[in-house]
Amino acid sequence: MRLIVIKKLTKPSYRGGFFHYLFFKSLDDGKSYRTCISKEFRNYKWWCDIKVGDVIEVNDVMIEGRLIDADTIPKILSIDSVYTKSIQSIDKV
């Protein structure tokens, strides 16, 4: 599934440190999705460089409901070839 990052929030964790919430809009089905990451977990290294406006691709198997399992490894797609189509897709939804 191809997703564009539409928002990133950082909130304190009750365990100390911070959680980072990433919110996405699917370019395939138009639905909204999210994931949560933290420096405490090994999966942080796969998600830490992703920013608002990036288009990523994830395995559909790692999505349950509207939640993306943070253990999936996102593939950052080329912004040059996908970004314009992504914005057009969001405008239609």
Side-chain angles (χ1 to χ4, degrees):
M1 179 177 292
R2 293 174 311 131
L3 305 154
I4 186 165
V5 182
I6 58 172
K7 182 167 53 170
K8 187 174 185 178
L9 294 175
T10 301
K11 295 190 176 189
S13 168
Y14 71 91
R15 299 167 45 173
F18 293 91
F19 275 105
H20 306 278
Y21 298 88
L22 297 170
F23 297 88
F24 307 92
K25 187 75 154 184
S26 171
L27 302 178
D28 299 331
D29 64 15
K31 295 179 182 176
S32 298
Y33 295 88
R34 67 182 171 88
T35 195
C36 178
I37 58 173
S38 175
K39 288 183 181 181
E40 296 178 41
F41 306 112
R42 64 186 160 96
N43 57 17
Y44 183 78
K45 65 182 173 236
W46 301 321
W47 293 91
C48 64
D49 293 332
I50 294 175
K51 59 190 176 307
V52 173
D54 285 351
V55 177
I56 65 165
E57 186 172 50
V58 296
N59 186 337
D60 292 2
V61 175
M62 299 299 282
I63 299 174
E64 187 170 327
R66 300 287 176 99
L67 185 62
I68 301 168
D69 187 331
D71 284 335
T72 190
I73 301 173
K75 177 182 175 186
I76 298 176
L77 301 176
S78 170
I79 297 300
D80 296 335
S81 63
V82 179
Y83 188 74
T84 303
K85 292 178 186 175
S86 303
I87 297 302
Q88 291 170 352
S89 296
I90 288 175
D91 289 340
K92 292 180 184 177
V93 174

